[in-house]
Amino acid sequence: EAQVTQNPRYLITVTGKKLTVTCSQNMNHEYMSWYRQDPGLGLRQIYYSMNVEVTDKGDVPEGYKVSRKEKRNFPLILESPSPNQTSLYFCASSTGLGETQYFGPGTRLLVL
Amino acid sequence: GNSVTQMEGPVTLSEEAFLTINCTYTATGYPSLFWYVQYPGEGLQLLLKATKADDKGSNKGFEATYRKETTSFHLEKGSVQVSDSAVYFCALYTGGFKTIFGAGTRLFVKA
């Protein structure tokens, strides 16, 4: 089944404790992206990747890192989480720019 | 800059009612337009799209027509069901590296 998986689905952590949210797609898509969803703000892009080893900042990259060492994986790293990073996070992939995006199920993060 | 504006929710309807969710956009050039739907506890999924003026996207009884003269892409359904309860996002792509999403409109359908 074609899908985007994310782990974990739910995470509660404390300020400053490094964490990684994994994202994997099995559709051989080149373009991958991370979004955060906050009430009233819709989806805001954090980082995106055009292909292996090619990543760039989106609209709200502060406090986040990403890597793309393999085509299928695109982890999101929070080196020192803060409470303002409490949010719902989505990973998405597509065959290219402007094409239909396929979203993971989301990761709900609470930073205390 | 490029942007998408959706009607604020929540929208509450009775089953079998007619649905319209307004979406207008500001963009240079000729954007592609999308509606995505997010069911409770799930990620977004494409509902329909249109890539040029006057195109009509349709899926699962939903329709939207790309109106360049009014810069709109309103979502409509003739008879909603309880299972249509979800959050609906309008989005546009104008080139470059990202798709721009609206804030989302939550729909509640009562039995």
Side-chain angles (χ1 to χ4, degrees):
Chain A
E1 179 191 356
Q3 60 182 348
V4 178
T5 56
Q6 292 179 232
N7 283 292
R9 294 290 310 275
Y10 304 92
L11 180 59
I12 301 175
T13 189
V14 296
T15 298
K17 185 176 182 181
K18 180 179 179 179
L19 66 91
T20 299
V21 183
T22 64
C23 172
S24 183
Q25 51 94 3
N26 63 2
M27 295 169 278
N28 201 37
H29 285 168
E30 294 193 345
Y31 184 84
M32 297 186 73
S33 190
W34 275 104
Y35 296 91
R36 58 179 290 172
Q37 182 181 14
D38 301 291
L41 297 177
L43 271 71
R44 293 180 292 168
Q45 190 179 52
I46 303 171
Y47 270 93
Y48 65 90
S49 170
M50 297 292 294
N51 212 327
V52 175
E53 303 292 2
V54 181
T55 64
D56 208 347
K57 298 176 181 178
D59 296 317
V60 288
E62 294 77 19
Y64 304 95
K65 287 175 56 177
V66 293
S67 68
R68 186 97 181 268
K69 294 184 170 58
E70 303 167 285
K71 196 171 188 178
R72 63 170 48 226
N73 296 324
F74 190 43
L76 179 70
I77 303 156
L78 285 71
E79 295 270 2
S80 182
S82 63
N84 65 11
Q85 292 178 297
T86 292
S87 188
L88 179 58
Y89 292 87
F90 288 102
C91 179
S93 72
S94 66
T95 55
L97 295 171
E99 299 298 327
T100 298
Q101 294 190 64
Y102 295 82
F103 285 80
T107 296
R108 189 168 292 280
L109 172 65
L110 173 61
V111 183
L112 300 173
Chain B
N2 300 320
S3 65
V4 176
T5 302
Q6 290 182 233
M7 62 187 290
E8 288 193 26
V11 174
T12 302
L13 296 173
S14 297
E15 211 166 21
E16 299 184 3
F18 185 86
L19 168 71
T20 300
I21 300 178
N22 290 339
C23 171
T24 57
Y25 67 89
T26 301
T28 54
Y30 302 93
S32 295
L33 299 170
F34 305 81
W35 276 103
Y36 284 85
V37 58
Q38 182 183 26
Y39 298 106
E42 299 183 10
L44 283 72
Q45 56 185 272
L46 180 72
L47 182 58
L48 53 85
K49 68 179 183 181
T51 58
K52 61 182 188 296
D54 299 325
D55 268 2
K56 177 185 283 187
S58 62
N59 186 24
K60 299 181 181 180
F62 291 88
E63 293 183 340
T65 301
Y66 186 154
R67 302 283 189 201
K68 188 164 176 60
E69 64 276 11
T70 55
T71 61
S72 65
F73 193 54
H74 304 323
L75 182 68
E76 297 181 336
K77 187 175 185 183
S79 176
V80 294
Q81 306 299 313
V82 172
S83 57
D84 293 325
S85 296
V87 181
Y88 293 82
F89 291 90
C90 186
L92 73 88
Y93 175 74
T94 62
F97 297 103
K98 68 175 182 180
T99 297
I100 297 169
F101 288 83
T105 302
R106 185 175 295 277
L107 170 67
F108 292 105
V109 180
K110 302 180 297 185

